Amino acid sequence: ELAKTVIALSSSEMSPSAAAERLYIHRNTVAFRMQRLKEQTGLDPLHCESDRLRLHILAALLQIDRENVEADT
């Protein structure tokens, strides 16, 4: 779930509302997941520019990994 949220947020120009729409979840759920991300990694991409870049890189890596898994099946 967190990986999907990271990808959606990155694809939505860091808009929690747009990410929530992409995932068909409530905006508060995105906020909760981003709080979990901050607790687990120390990243705060909604408030820190360098963390935002890190999130975009993470999202790209997650997307590549997803594509590789799908290709293997």
Side-chain angles (χ1 to χ4, degrees):
E1 299 296 316
L2 194 53
K4 290 179 184 178
T5 304
V6 166
I7 292 168
L9 195 59
S10 177
S11 300
S12 301
E13 299 179 10
M14 302 306 293
S15 166
S17 296
E21 285 181 27
R22 281 178 173 248
L23 296 169
Y24 302 103
I25 60 176
H26 195 275
R27 182 187 182 286
N28 289 346
T29 303
V30 172
F32 173 75
R33 290 179 184 173
M34 295 315 300
Q35 181 61 37
R36 275 195 7 225
L37 178 75
K38 184 177 178 183
E39 290 168 2
Q40 293 176 3
T41 67
L43 296 176
D44 188 9
L46 298 178
H47 300 104
C48 177
E49 189 67 36
S50 61
D51 286 351
R52 192 168 301 139
L53 175 60
R54 289 180 181 99
L55 183 105
H56 286 300
I57 294 168
L58 175 61
L61 293 172
L62 289 168
Q63 190 65 35
I64 290 168
D65 185 55
R66 273 178 129 181
E67 291 169 2
N68 288 337
V69 169
E70 290 172 2
D72 289 342
T73 57

